[in-house]
Amino acid sequence: MRQVYMDHSATTPVDPEVFKAIIPYFNDRYGNPSSIYSLGREAKEAVNRAREQVAFLINAKPGEIYFTSCGTEADNQAIISYMMTNKDRGNHLITTAVEHHAVLDACRFLEKQGFELTVLPVKPDGLVDPEELRWALKTNTILVSIMHANNEVGTIQPIKELAAISHQGGAFFHTDAVQTVGKIPVDVEELGVDMLSASSHKLYGPKGVGCLYRRKRARVKNYLHGGAQEKKIRPGTENVPGIVGFGKAAELAQQNLIQRTEKLDYLAARLRDGILNNIPRTRLTGHPVKRVPGHVSVCFEFVEGESILLMLDINGIMGSSGSACTSGSLDPSHVLLAMGLSHEIAHGSLRLTLGKNNTEEEVDYVIEVLPGIIQRLREMSPLSR
Ligand SMILES: *Cc1c(COP(=O)(O)O)cnc(C)c1O
């Protein structure tokens, strides 16, 4: 049966060129970057080359990139370590109600430890109101963490403006850019952020590697304890193959970015219109235009997202409902609820996220199959009667 993968916000396939670049670091070049003989030095050079590649993608300096084991770790490091390290300056932090759990739960953990937390609401399109942030900043606020783009609905926040407001209020700014790095131009200087998280497996690199970008002025201490790797900020022997793959993926992400975006915008518009025009009582979620390329998220009235996914799967189509991390629980998405959708509507959510290998034919196949699925589910649903 044909397989149509439309869940690129959950993860992406490793690009064949990335795969090729990684292999030697599993066999011939297995050295430990901390060893002084040539095998070790070779591994260290490979890690530093990857650091340059990742830094280049976001216009950072290589010395500002710290590799981690995933995006989640980068988020935790940015938030928990930053607050712990700088608690002499204040104990208040601000985030938003639509963050990924890696940020939201790290903030809630700090709140339980006695830090003061403000969670900003969002507008129905998922955007944070900059005025809300201005009002929330206090003299003891030292950190604001707001995601660049939302994983569930694709809404892109005005990070430059939000970072500037935070700085005016005397706070540093972190952004979870896992959903944007490699998909849209991300420039840390232009955005004015102090810290940023990224993850390799969302941009056609391998899983299990991410990075924290950190400007020198944003002081953080290690929260793992051990060796001197990553300037002691993140001890532990480096995941050399993973890091090499992340670097290669970062390099590739820069090539043809504009053309890839145009193609994704075209396909996403076709998919979105195909769904909205052929299935009644359906609405787009997230911002209509300020969204990640290739990201389509909708809610169908009177159906369960989980059932849609199962029916799609029977037809070889892979998508998601809510975020992959929370599916499995029956709670509706915290993101959709924060955007003001009712529990009933939020239950019927579907996210289809396109990637560079998706074709027009695949989009048309989904448009052909989906209306029948929704119709059948509605016929079975007690909610629609
Ligand atoms: C996937 C994702 C993460 C987590 O990254 P991992 O590398 O999977 O830990 C964090 N934030 C956002 C917005 C994500 O989409």
PDB file of all heavy atoms in Angstrom, residues 9 70-72 75 100 102 147 149 151 176 178-179 199 201-202, ligand 1:
ATOM      1  N   SER A   9       6.195  17.732  11.348  1.00  0.00           N
ATOM      2  CA  SER A   9       6.423  18.494  12.579  1.00  0.00           C
ATOM      3  C   SER A   9       6.726  17.559  13.738  1.00  0.00           C
ATOM      4  O   SER A   9       7.235  17.986  14.776  1.00  0.00           O
ATOM      5  CB  SER A   9       5.215  19.370  12.924  1.00  0.00           C
ATOM      6  OG  SER A   9       5.170  20.452  12.028  1.00  0.00           O
ATOM      7  N   CYS A  70      18.915  16.648  22.701  1.00  0.00           N
ATOM      8  CA  CYS A  70      17.638  16.847  22.001  1.00  0.00           C
ATOM      9  C   CYS A  70      17.155  18.282  22.223  1.00  0.00           C
ATOM     10  O   CYS A  70      17.741  19.025  23.017  1.00  0.00           O
ATOM     11  CB  CYS A  70      16.561  15.873  22.507  1.00  0.00           C
ATOM     12  SG  CYS A  70      16.284  15.918  24.290  1.00  0.00           S
ATOM     13  N   GLY A  71      16.091  18.622  21.535  1.00  0.00           N
ATOM     14  CA  GLY A  71      15.490  19.941  21.720  1.00  0.00           C
ATOM     15  C   GLY A  71      14.978  20.113  23.138  1.00  0.00           C
ATOM     16  O   GLY A  71      15.092  21.183  23.739  1.00  0.00           O
ATOM     17  N   THR A  72      14.417  19.048  23.678  1.00  0.00           N
ATOM     18  CA  THR A  72      13.889  19.087  25.040  1.00  0.00           C
ATOM     19  C   THR A  72      14.978  19.467  26.040  1.00  0.00           C
ATOM     20  O   THR A  72      14.761  20.293  26.929  1.00  0.00           O
ATOM     21  CB  THR A  72      13.297  17.700  25.409  1.00  0.00           C
ATOM     22  OG1 THR A  72      12.241  17.403  24.488  1.00  0.00           O
ATOM     23  CG2 THR A  72      12.779  17.668  26.831  1.00  0.00           C
ATOM     24  N   ASP A  75      15.810  23.156  25.771  1.00  0.00           N
ATOM     25  CA  ASP A  75      14.780  23.973  26.429  1.00  0.00           C
ATOM     26  C   ASP A  75      14.960  23.953  27.950  1.00  0.00           C
ATOM     27  O   ASP A  75      14.899  24.983  28.611  1.00  0.00           O
ATOM     28  CB  ASP A  75      13.377  23.444  26.093  1.00  0.00           C
ATOM     29  CG  ASP A  75      12.927  23.851  24.689  1.00  0.00           C
ATOM     30  OD1 ASP A  75      13.465  24.839  24.143  1.00  0.00           O
ATOM     31  OD2 ASP A  75      12.035  23.176  24.149  1.00  0.00           O
ATOM     32  N   HIS A 100       5.513  24.196  23.797  1.00  0.00           N
ATOM     33  CA  HIS A 100       5.735  22.751  23.841  1.00  0.00           C
ATOM     34  C   HIS A 100       5.919  22.352  25.307  1.00  0.00           C
ATOM     35  O   HIS A 100       6.394  23.161  26.110  1.00  0.00           O
ATOM     36  CB  HIS A 100       7.002  22.436  23.043  1.00  0.00           C
ATOM     37  CG  HIS A 100       7.255  20.983  22.810  1.00  0.00           C
ATOM     38  ND1 HIS A 100       7.876  20.187  23.742  1.00  0.00           N
ATOM     39  CD2 HIS A 100       6.981  20.188  21.745  1.00  0.00           C
ATOM     40  CE1 HIS A 100       7.976  18.956  23.254  1.00  0.00           C
ATOM     41  NE2 HIS A 100       7.439  18.926  22.048  1.00  0.00           N
ATOM     42  N   ALA A 102       8.128  20.723  26.646  1.00  0.00           N
ATOM     43  CA  ALA A 102       9.535  20.832  27.076  1.00  0.00           C
ATOM     44  C   ALA A 102       9.788  22.183  27.753  1.00  0.00           C
ATOM     45  O   ALA A 102      10.624  22.289  28.645  1.00  0.00           O
ATOM     46  CB  ALA A 102      10.478  20.656  25.883  1.00  0.00           C
ATOM     47  N   MET A 147       7.980  30.550  22.180  1.00  0.00           N
ATOM     48  CA  MET A 147       8.383  29.750  21.025  1.00  0.00           C
ATOM     49  C   MET A 147       8.328  30.547  19.728  1.00  0.00           C
ATOM     50  O   MET A 147       7.505  31.453  19.575  1.00  0.00           O
ATOM     51  CB  MET A 147       7.528  28.483  20.913  1.00  0.00           C
ATOM     52  CG  MET A 147       6.098  28.730  20.527  1.00  0.00           C
ATOM     53  SD  MET A 147       4.949  27.360  20.938  1.00  0.00           S
ATOM     54  CE  MET A 147       5.865  25.885  20.605  1.00  0.00           C
ATOM     55  N   ALA A 149       7.777  29.194  16.509  1.00  0.00           N
ATOM     56  CA  ALA A 149       6.540  28.750  15.855  1.00  0.00           C
ATOM     57  C   ALA A 149       5.964  27.589  16.634  1.00  0.00           C
ATOM     58  O   ALA A 149       6.691  26.777  17.196  1.00  0.00           O
ATOM     59  CB  ALA A 149       6.801  28.323  14.419  1.00  0.00           C
ATOM     60  N   ASN A 151       4.219  24.073  17.292  1.00  0.00           N
ATOM     61  CA  ASN A 151       4.249  22.780  16.625  1.00  0.00           C
ATOM     62  C   ASN A 151       2.864  22.284  16.215  1.00  0.00           C
ATOM     63  O   ASN A 151       2.718  21.607  15.215  1.00  0.00           O
ATOM     64  CB  ASN A 151       4.948  21.739  17.518  1.00  0.00           C
ATOM     65  CG  ASN A 151       4.520  21.820  18.967  1.00  0.00           C
ATOM     66  OD1 ASN A 151       4.552  22.885  19.587  1.00  0.00           O
ATOM     67  ND2 ASN A 151       4.094  20.694  19.505  1.00  0.00           N
ATOM     68  N   ASP A 176      12.117  28.806  21.763  1.00  0.00           N
ATOM     69  CA  ASP A 176      12.146  27.432  21.292  1.00  0.00           C
ATOM     70  C   ASP A 176      11.892  27.525  19.782  1.00  0.00           C
ATOM     71  O   ASP A 176      10.761  27.761  19.350  1.00  0.00           O
ATOM     72  CB  ASP A 176      11.052  26.632  22.004  1.00  0.00           C
ATOM     73  CG  ASP A 176      10.916  25.216  21.452  1.00  0.00           C
ATOM     74  OD1 ASP A 176      11.360  24.958  20.316  1.00  0.00           O
ATOM     75  OD2 ASP A 176      10.347  24.362  22.155  1.00  0.00           O
ATOM     76  N   VAL A 178      12.527  25.111  17.576  1.00  0.00           N
ATOM     77  CA  VAL A 178      12.617  23.757  17.011  1.00  0.00           C
ATOM     78  C   VAL A 178      11.781  23.636  15.731  1.00  0.00           C
ATOM     79  O   VAL A 178      12.163  22.936  14.802  1.00  0.00           O
ATOM     80  CB  VAL A 178      12.189  22.702  18.061  1.00  0.00           C
ATOM     81  CG1 VAL A 178      12.102  21.321  17.437  1.00  0.00           C
ATOM     82  CG2 VAL A 178      13.175  22.682  19.226  1.00  0.00           C
ATOM     83  N   GLN A 179      10.658  24.354  15.680  1.00  0.00           N
ATOM     84  CA  GLN A 179       9.804  24.238  14.487  1.00  0.00           C
ATOM     85  C   GLN A 179      10.175  25.203  13.367  1.00  0.00           C
ATOM     86  O   GLN A 179       9.545  25.179  12.304  1.00  0.00           O
ATOM     87  CB  GLN A 179       8.325  24.440  14.875  1.00  0.00           C
ATOM     88  CG  GLN A 179       7.723  23.275  15.643  1.00  0.00           C
ATOM     89  CD  GLN A 179       7.623  21.991  14.831  1.00  0.00           C
ATOM     90  OE1 GLN A 179       7.583  22.007  13.606  1.00  0.00           O
ATOM     91  NE2 GLN A 179       7.586  20.861  15.506  1.00  0.00           N
ATOM     92  N   SER A 199      16.489  21.429  17.181  1.00  0.00           N
ATOM     93  CA  SER A 199      16.591  19.968  17.228  1.00  0.00           C
ATOM     94  C   SER A 199      16.833  19.411  15.837  1.00  0.00           C
ATOM     95  O   SER A 199      16.138  19.772  14.881  1.00  0.00           O
ATOM     96  CB  SER A 199      15.306  19.388  17.820  1.00  0.00           C
ATOM     97  OG  SER A 199      15.353  17.982  17.785  1.00  0.00           O
ATOM     98  N   HIS A 201      16.339  16.397  14.475  1.00  0.00           N
ATOM     99  CA  HIS A 201      15.421  15.491  13.768  1.00  0.00           C
ATOM    100  C   HIS A 201      14.210  16.198  13.165  1.00  0.00           C
ATOM    101  O   HIS A 201      13.424  15.587  12.459  1.00  0.00           O
ATOM    102  CB  HIS A 201      15.000  14.309  14.668  1.00  0.00           C
ATOM    103  CG  HIS A 201      13.977  14.614  15.713  1.00  0.00           C
ATOM    104  ND1 HIS A 201      12.645  14.316  15.555  1.00  0.00           N
ATOM    105  CD2 HIS A 201      14.092  15.164  16.940  1.00  0.00           C
ATOM    106  CE1 HIS A 201      11.983  14.662  16.655  1.00  0.00           C
ATOM    107  NE2 HIS A 201      12.842  15.188  17.512  1.00  0.00           N
ATOM    108  N   LYS A 202      14.078  17.485  13.414  1.00  0.00           N
ATOM    109  CA  LYS A 202      12.995  18.226  12.769  1.00  0.00           C
ATOM    110  C   LYS A 202      13.456  18.842  11.440  1.00  0.00           C
ATOM    111  O   LYS A 202      12.684  19.460  10.746  1.00  0.00           O
ATOM    112  CB  LYS A 202      12.478  19.330  13.713  1.00  0.00           C
ATOM    113  CG  LYS A 202      12.000  18.842  15.087  1.00  0.00           C
ATOM    114  CD  LYS A 202      10.644  18.189  15.049  1.00  0.00           C
ATOM    115  CE  LYS A 202      10.221  17.558  16.365  1.00  0.00           C
ATOM    116  NZ  LYS A 202       9.655  18.469  17.346  1.00  0.00           N
TER     117      LYS A 202
HETATM  118  C1  LIG B   1       9.852  18.468  18.758  1.00  0.00           C
HETATM  119  C2  LIG B   1       9.832  19.696  19.577  1.00  0.00           C
HETATM  120  C3  LIG B   1      10.585  19.813  20.760  1.00  0.00           C
HETATM  121  C4  LIG B   1      11.357  18.645  21.319  1.00  0.00           C
HETATM  122  O1  LIG B   1      12.499  18.325  20.568  1.00  0.00           O
HETATM  123  P1  LIG B   1      13.138  16.870  20.780  1.00  0.00           P
HETATM  124  O2  LIG B   1      14.431  16.929  20.055  1.00  0.00           O
HETATM  125  O3  LIG B   1      12.177  15.912  20.163  1.00  0.00           O
HETATM  126  O4  LIG B   1      13.291  16.675  22.231  1.00  0.00           O
HETATM  127  C5  LIG B   1      10.559  20.991  21.456  1.00  0.00           C
HETATM  128  N1  LIG B   1       9.842  22.029  21.021  1.00  0.00           N
HETATM  129  C6  LIG B   1       9.114  21.981  19.897  1.00  0.00           C
HETATM  130  C7  LIG B   1       8.345  23.189  19.462  1.00  0.00           C
HETATM  131  C8  LIG B   1       9.084  20.817  19.146  1.00  0.00           C
HETATM  132  O5  LIG B   1       8.330  20.765  18.039  1.00  0.00           O
END
